[in-house]
Amino acid sequence: MGWGNIYKRRLKVFTLALVIYLDYKAVQKREKWFSKSKKEALWQRTHERNAKRVLNLMIEMEGLWVKLGQYLSTRADVLPEAYIYLLKQLQDSLPPRPLKEVHQTIEKELGKSINDMFSHFVEAPLATASLAQVHRATLGDGQEVVVKVQHEGIKEVILEDLKNAKSIVDWIAWAEPQYDFNPMIDEWCKEAPNELDFNHEAENTRKVSKNLLVKSEHDDINYVNRVDVLIPEVIQSSERVLILQYMDGIRLNDKASLDEYGVDKQKLVEEITRAYAHQIYVDGFFNGDPHPGNFLVSKEPPHRPILLDFGLTKLISSSMKQALAKMFLACAEGDHVALLAAFTEMGLKLRLDMPEQAMDIASVFFRNSTPASEALENVKSLADQREKNMKFIQEKMKLNKKEVQHFNPVDAFPGDAVIFIRVVNLLRGLSSTLDVRIVYLDIMKPFAESTLLGSIRTKPALNSQWIYDSPIHSDVEAKLRQLLVELGNEKILGIQVCAYKDGKVIIDTAAGMLGKYDPRPVQPDTLFPVFSATKGITAGMVHWLVDKGKLKFDETIANIWPEFNASKKDMIKVHHVLNHSSGLHNTMSDVMRSNPLLICDWEESLHRIAQSAPETEPGSQQLYHYLSFGWLCGGVIEHASGKKFQEVLEEAFIHPLNIEGELYIGIPPGVESRLAALTLDTEDLQNLLEINRRPEMPSSLQEGNLAEMASAVPVLFNTLNIRRAVIPAANGHCSARALARYYAALANGGSTPPPHSLVSKPLLGSHAHVPTFPSFKQSKKKLRTKEIDNPDTPSKKTDGLRRRGCSNSNSPNNNKGSNIVDINIDDDAQKSVKRIFSSPKIHDAFMGLGDYSDMVIADGKFGLGFRRFNTAAGNLMSFGHSGVGGSTGFCNIEHNFSIAVTVNKMSLGGATRSIIQLICSELNIPVPEDFSRFGEKGPDMQLNLSL
């Protein structure tokens, strides 16, 4: 092109941008002198004037600017009508190239003369677009075709314009960081060379046609999510020439002809949308350029869409496809947890925690389309939303007005998502152009669901990825994995099982999926909601404070928590709460019925607990405190320690046990992508209808529709508000290996076990307990320079792994799942054993035995905070706590054995019981009665309704 032409092109673009800017600013100042009716005419003339300027420049410049014009011409939902009317000429009506040039290109590319290839070649092009023009022709055998011929020299123009655009975008990002369009231009630069090679387009056309099962105009095959579209057959291709089957159709911008043929425009656009939903969510291979010029409509009923031009076609990975589907369904369901997880999965990183704002922004992509007449209203709505979000960012980050204008909340944006967003916007513009309303959430939902549900429907097998690929620690673990496969996905969605014996890990298995709509595999560090298993952690915190001399079991709670003295609670002592005999068993049940999200307010919940009145005399009856237990203990913990609940949790257990990042009561921002999502076993739901009232359960759990109550639990506890709240009776989130390690310490009298299995990846404790968001002030160049300058300096994490004798790898290639591994702990690790409890009678305290027997109800199911697990022979050597749906954790002190099971498919605990029966049998450990086939179940195992 030459430097002279390059600079001329740049000068023309910047000059026009300045002229248009000054024109609009001048009109803004003048409009205040006009009446309302004249203002509208003034703005209309302004739009027409500047739209002509833009059109003329784009036609003159060709190349990239025509592509931009094509994109803008479809945005009838946000641009003035004058721009849409003029710029739509760029879709396929540019000035044609000389016929001589076209003939030369064809003959050079295909190696034959025009007369040898075609019996007839129509001189006037059917359409002329930014990269090529299309002519109708007839092959020697009589077949009607179209010949797409690339413009001479257009490749150089496009590539040079991309460089210029990249320079402009870099400058904008430097001057206004909140307008960083680098991911978009980078993705365009990556894909443009493929669009300029028609061999790629030919292959793309064949692939999309095959994916959509497009066969012929008279194909009547019918199946679920069938897409009824047509795609021309590829006849021949080269780098700059493409010959396709001719299809007679109506252009989408020819509204008169569409009406004349009686085309149902609503149905037409819906089918186009379905075709793109199939390409994106099912195939992961989609056309990135759905502007009106790339479609025709068949003239014969049922007037199918004809899809054209697959030059810009994007292939995305299976994980990205799943993430996009998850993002879509998260917007459809208003699921903030799933949305933040989808962002992480697709590589989109934010610089601050903004779930509500992220949902608002993401939902904009899938909002219903509107007619062009509502463009101004849409622009205003989007501007208002942006202003609202910027205000939130300003307050959240404590920025001044100037700083917030330079703040970009996105730290990293995935290139794969750029074309996806472009496609969704183009489809919306297409709808607006044809004046139809499209409900994208309804049309695309079945395709997104099929992507996320597909792999779950496959029956698990030992050689599949259903069992997470990790080394087997023992013979019993090998047998456990066989049992999990036998139980299958009818009883298990996602599961973790971890067990310690004599301080050593003998089982650490994960299997299944993270959720019904999340086919990612469960891994050892996945966080499961464990419901009432949380009570065992909370009770341990009370014991820890007693052990440290901060609290006494027989202390009156009102003495340390003055507000608690209200409503005749002056006789309630700490041990009454731990033993579920305080008389406050139904407290907060009214809140769960009237305003469930109120339980997310920690201070308000404590206040209501403090103001509540007991229903029975303290110490007289043991009635399960299914929700109140957590706040009662939480209030005691905070007032006795003078610290926040979560600070005590970290000090008492998280740090000493080295389980950072894998045990929470109230998750922090940044761990959403590791969360398992809850669902309900529908078969067990029916069984709830047959369960009689249980006298030992709180009366509030004996009333009402049990099935309805059970159905509501997973919905409520999947929400971000609940998961982030501190609810010490119900919303613990942990991995099985963290929970098992906790009980391993309790089983051994409070001594911390040796380090967890070194082949369990990622290593237990390797996650930051509270993830941090990247600073927007951080210089990426400096970071990269530092890494390059110090290539041999190990990170703290890597150095730590080396000290522990393990490489920094997530793939245990040296120990495949078929091997049984033996983990040897070095001498330094053995010497570092610490005690989290010092009392020699700590086991008696946990179970309410010996000196503590007068603090519990005789023969009651609970000791001091823990469920007492008897064996069939009547021995009491085990304690722990189960949760709704089947998650559990407990230990046997006689055998120095601990186990944790975490599940996300909530049931009556049948799978968990089978697992524990197998493991205990193999290890010759008595099965606790709660988990035996015929034994009496604890409150959480009985009704599966307590939280």
Side-chain angles (χ1 to χ4, degrees):
M1 290 181 63
W3 285 105
N5 287 333
I6 291 173
Y7 284 117
K8 284 181 181 178
R9 292 174 70 84
R10 291 182 181 178
L11 182 61
K12 287 178 180 179
V13 171
F14 281 109
T15 300
L16 180 64
L18 181 61
V19 168
I20 292 175
Y21 172 77
L22 294 175
D23 191 0
Y24 276 106
K25 293 298 289 185
V27 172
Q28 276 184 332
K29 292 183 177 181
R30 289 169 51 203
E31 69 167 342
K32 59 185 177 182
W33 305 106
F34 290 80
S35 63
K36 184 177 180 179
S37 60
K38 290 185 177 180
K39 280 182 183 179
E40 293 179 0
L42 175 66
W43 280 110
Q44 177 65 23
R45 291 193 300 272
T46 304
H47 293 323
E48 290 175 354
R49 181 168 62 248
N50 288 300
K52 288 178 182 178
R53 289 169 172 165
V54 170
L55 175 64
N56 291 334
L57 180 70
M58 288 180 169
I59 291 174
E60 178 186 354
M61 301 285 281
E62 296 185 330
L64 177 71
W65 307 108
V66 173
K67 300 291 289 183
L68 176 61
Q70 289 173 340
Y71 174 73
L72 294 177
S73 72
T74 67
R75 299 309 310 274
D77 53 332
V78 293
L79 281 179
E81 185 179 354
Y83 284 88
I84 305 303
Y85 177 77
L86 289 172
L87 294 181
K88 69 180 182 181
Q89 298 176 41
L90 298 173
Q91 291 168 9
D92 55 13
S93 301
L94 292 173
R97 291 296 181 95
L99 187 62
K100 182 179 179 181
E101 176 188 312
V102 171
H103 283 186
Q104 287 176 344
T105 300
I106 295 174
E107 293 175 348
K108 180 180 178 182
E109 288 290 307
L110 301 183
K112 295 181 181 179
S113 69
I114 294 294
N115 292 334
D116 288 341
M117 286 183 282
F118 307 105
S119 62
H120 180 62
F121 190 91
V122 179
E123 294 184 2
L126 288 173
T128 305
S130 57
L131 297 180
Q133 64 190 47
V134 179
H135 290 260
R136 186 173 176 180
T138 305
L139 297 178
D141 61 3
Q143 182 177 4
E144 295 291 318
V145 297
V146 292
V147 185
K148 183 175 180 179
V149 185
Q150 190 174 119
H151 299 321
E152 184 69 32
I154 197 65
K155 182 175 182 178
E156 291 74 17
V157 171
I158 289 283
L159 295 179
E160 187 58 47
D161 283 347
L162 282 171
K163 292 178 184 178
N164 296 339
K166 174 64 175 171
S167 299
I168 295 171
V169 167
D170 283 340
W171 180 84
I172 293 174
W174 175 82
E176 301 289 340
Q178 75 274 27
Y179 295 115
D180 186 357
F181 301 114
N182 267 298
M184 300 181 187
I185 195 66
D186 289 344
E187 185 66 18
W188 208 346
C189 289
K190 184 172 73 173
E191 297 296 334
N194 290 336
E195 191 176 7
L196 293 165
D197 185 345
F198 288 174
N199 282 318
H200 281 286
E201 180 174 346
E203 183 57 34
N204 294 341
T205 303
R206 295 187 186 100
K207 186 172 181 178
V208 173
S209 182
K210 180 180 178 181
N211 289 342
L212 298 181
L213 295 181
V214 176
K215 292 190 175 180
S216 73
E217 296 186 37
H218 305 290
D219 177 23
D220 294 324
I221 297 176
N222 192 23
Y223 58 94
V224 177
N225 288 341
R226 166 66 193 265
V227 176
D228 194 15
V229 297
L230 300 173
I231 297 176
E233 178 188 354
V234 176
I235 308 299
Q236 188 178 358
S237 69
S238 70
E239 183 178 355
R240 297 173 58 206
V241 175
L242 177 62
I243 303 177
L244 300 166
Q245 168 194 7
Y246 172 74
M247 286 188 170
D248 190 18
I250 311 163
R251 295 177 182 176
L252 283 191
N253 56 13
D254 188 353
K255 293 184 180 180
S257 294
L258 292 175
D259 292 337
E260 180 183 345
Y261 278 88
V263 175
D264 185 336
K265 292 191 285 291
Q266 179 74 31
K267 183 179 178 181
L268 174 70
V269 179
E270 286 182 356
E271 200 59 33
I272 290 174
T273 304
R274 293 182 74 251
Y276 273 83
H278 194 294
Q279 291 176 64
I280 294 168
Y281 298 120
V282 178
D283 309 323
F285 187 74
F286 57 93
N287 182 357
D289 201 19
H291 65 76
N294 286 343
F295 297 96
L296 294 174
V297 183
S298 63
K299 294 181 178 180
E300 298 296 325
H303 303 300
R304 299 175 181 177
I306 301 173
L307 278 54
L308 308 172
D309 194 347
F310 294 88
L312 181 60
T313 307
K314 181 66 181 174
L315 173 66
I316 56 177
S317 66
S318 176
S319 59
M320 175 59 74
K321 181 177 69 173
Q322 292 176 3
L324 291 175
K326 189 172 182 179
M327 179 177 72
F328 174 87
L329 291 173
C331 293
E333 302 295 332
D335 187 340
H336 295 83
V337 175
L339 180 67
L340 295 178
F343 282 176
T344 301
E345 292 161 39
M346 68 175 62
L348 194 159
K349 298 179 182 178
L350 300 175
R351 289 194 171 98
L352 73 164
D353 181 40
M354 46 184 293
E356 296 291 340
Q357 291 69 30
M359 178 63 74
D360 290 341
I361 294 169
S363 296
V364 165
F365 298 136
F366 309 112
R367 70 189 187 278
N368 297 351
S369 66
T370 55
S373 58
E374 298 178 20
L376 290 178
E377 184 179 337
N378 286 337
V379 171
K380 185 178 184 304
S381 175
L382 293 174
D384 291 343
Q385 184 63 54
R386 172 177 168 76
E387 185 177 347
K388 179 181 175 182
N389 291 338
M390 293 303 289
K391 184 177 180 181
F392 167 83
I393 292 171
Q394 183 176 357
E395 294 174 354
K396 180 90 172 178
M397 301 296 293
K398 297 181 173 57
L399 304 173
N400 59 39
K401 290 185 178 180
K402 184 176 180 180
E403 288 174 330
V404 76
Q405 292 299 320
H406 287 76
F407 178 75
N408 187 348
V410 178
D411 179 59
F413 194 90
D416 283 349
V418 171
I419 303 232
F420 166 77
I421 292 173
R422 167 188 165 89
V423 165
V424 174
N425 283 333
L426 283 169
L427 288 174
R428 177 170 293 101
L430 185 69
S431 306
S432 298
T433 300
L434 293 176
D435 287 325
V436 296
R437 295 181 185 272
I438 299 297
V439 183
Y440 291 101
L441 294 180
D442 289 346
I443 295 175
M444 291 184 163
K445 188 173 183 178
F447 298 94
E449 285 182 332
S450 68
T451 293
L452 296 182
L453 291 174
S455 56
I456 296 175
R457 293 177 183 147
T458 304
K459 185 177 180 180
L462 269 178
N463 60 353
S464 74
Q465 295 181 354
W466 195 74
I467 299 286
Y468 185 73
D469 184 18
S470 61
I472 297 175
H473 295 76
S474 63
D475 290 329
V476 66
E477 183 169 20
K479 293 180 180 179
L480 167 68
R481 295 188 179 190
Q482 180 63 49
L483 173 63
L484 294 181
V485 172
E486 291 172 3
L487 290 171
N489 51 17
E490 291 183 2
K491 286 299 178 185
I492 296 173
L493 178 60
I495 192 169
Q496 295 169 326
V497 183
C498 183
Y500 278 73
K501 181 71 171 71
D502 299 324
K504 181 179 178 180
V505 177
I506 59 170
I507 297 172
D508 194 359
T509 287
M513 314 294 177
L514 287 184
K516 180 181 178 182
Y517 291 125
D518 195 340
R520 289 179 299 147
V522 170
Q523 300 188 34
D525 62 339
T526 297
L527 299 173
F528 281 76
V530 295
F531 292 96
S532 283
T534 313
K535 292 182 176 71
I537 308 293
T538 303
M541 295 167 65
V542 176
H543 282 271
W544 186 80
L545 288 174
V546 172
D547 191 70
K548 294 294 181 285
K550 301 285 186 180
L551 186 64
K552 295 179 179 179
F553 291 125
D554 60 358
E555 191 163 0
T556 302
I557 293 178
N559 291 343
I560 59 173
W561 185 358
E563 188 184 6
F564 193 79
N565 196 40
S567 304
K568 300 180 180 181
K569 295 196 298 298
D570 55 315
M571 299 300 293
I572 298 178
K573 297 184 178 182
V574 173
H575 66 78
H576 292 139
V577 170
L578 290 174
N579 191 235
H580 296 266
S581 59
S582 73
L584 298 171
H585 43 282
N586 281 324
T587 302
M588 298 290 283
S589 61
D590 58 330
V591 171
M592 284 297 295
R593 286 192 294 267
S594 61
N595 184 14
L597 290 181
L598 186 63
I599 65 176
C600 299
D601 189 329
W602 173 249
E603 296 298 334
E604 177 61 22
S605 296
L606 290 184
H607 173 72
R608 293 199 177 207
I609 288 285
Q611 298 302 312
S612 62
E615 298 180 28
T616 59
E617 181 181 348
S620 64
Q621 296 183 60
Q622 189 174 81
L623 294 167
Y624 188 51
H625 291 36
Y626 63 103
L627 261 182
S628 57
F629 180 89
W631 292 301
L632 286 165
C633 289
V636 168
I637 289 167
E638 289 201 342
H639 284 86
S641 66
K643 298 179 180 179
K644 290 294 184 182
F645 179 89
Q646 289 171 311
E647 292 175 343
V648 178
L649 175 61
E650 292 177 26
E651 183 180 351
F653 303 135
I654 304 299
H655 300 318
L657 294 174
N658 194 31
I659 52 177
E660 286 87 351
E662 293 193 32
L663 193 153
Y664 299 100
I665 300 179
I667 64 165
V671 303
E672 293 84 5
S673 64
R674 290 194 286 125
L675 294 180
L678 296 164
T679 189
L680 198 63
D681 188 316
T682 54
E683 181 180 338
D684 275 4
L685 177 63
Q686 293 300 317
N687 293 336
L688 286 175
L689 302 175
E690 303 172 7
I691 295 177
N692 296 323
R693 295 181 179 181
R694 308 279 182 170
E696 69 274 19
M697 298 298 290
S699 58
S700 60
L701 284 184
Q702 299 177 29
E703 302 168 355
N705 187 328
L706 298 183
E708 183 178 341
M709 293 169 65
S711 299
V713 169
V715 175
L716 181 63
F717 276 78
N718 276 334
T719 65
L720 187 62
N721 286 343
I722 291 290
R723 291 189 142 180
R724 287 188 175 181
V726 179
I727 310 173
N731 80 323
H733 286 76
C734 64
S735 63
R737 62 184 186 174
L739 187 58
R741 185 169 178 79
Y742 168 72
Y743 277 105
L746 301 192
N748 199 27
S751 297
T752 59
H756 190 76
S757 168
L758 298 180
V759 296
S760 180
K761 302 297 177 69
L763 291 178
L764 180 61
S766 61
H767 288 288
H769 191 60
V770 180
T772 57
F773 289 90
S775 169
F776 72 97
K777 295 180 180 179
Q778 196 173 47
S779 171
K780 293 184 179 179
K781 285 187 178 181
K782 289 183 178 179
L783 285 176
R784 283 197 292 267
T785 301
K786 185 175 181 179
E787 291 171 2
I788 294 171
D789 289 344
N790 300 280
D792 299 321
T793 303
S795 66
K796 290 182 179 179
K797 179 177 177 181
T798 306
D799 190 44
L801 296 178
R802 289 175 181 172
R803 288 198 302 271
R804 295 161 77 173
C806 183
S807 64
N808 186 15
S809 170
N810 287 329
S811 300
N813 294 324
N814 296 327
N815 295 289
K816 290 298 180 183
S818 59
N819 297 329
I820 296 177
V821 300
D822 184 30
I823 308 302
N824 295 311
I825 307 302
D826 58 38
D827 292 337
D828 290 339
Q830 293 282 18
K831 293 176 182 177
S832 65
V833 172
K834 299 179 181 177
R835 294 188 64 85
I836 53 179
F837 293 103
S838 59
S839 171
K841 298 181 179 180
I842 193 66
H843 287 150
D844 286 349
F846 290 153
M847 293 187 285
L849 302 176
D851 294 344
Y852 305 94
S853 60
D854 59 344
M855 295 182 180
V856 302
I857 301 295
D859 299 322
K861 294 180 174 62
F862 288 94
L864 291 180
F866 293 91
R867 169 76 171 143
R868 305 195 290 196
F869 295 141
N870 286 299
T871 64
N875 296 324
L876 180 56
M877 301 304 293
S878 299
F879 62 90
H881 217 298
S882 299
V884 60
S887 293
T888 192
F890 72 88
C891 62
N892 181 302
I893 60 177
E894 182 180 16
H895 293 270
N896 194 9
F897 167 75
S898 69
I899 187 170
V901 180
T902 55
V903 298
N904 59 350
K905 188 172 188 178
M906 300 172 63
S907 68
L908 294 180
T912 302
R913 288 197 295 276
S914 298
I915 289 166
I916 291 174
Q917 288 167 21
L918 170 72
I919 294 171
C920 289
S921 173
E922 291 292 323
L923 297 175
N924 199 26
I925 296 173
V927 178
E929 203 173 16
D930 286 50
F931 302 99
S932 68
R933 185 170 299 178
F934 304 107
E936 183 179 5
K937 311 299 183 294
D940 282 288
M941 304 297 283
Q942 282 176 339
L943 283 184
N944 196 37
L945 284 175
S946 57
L947 303 176

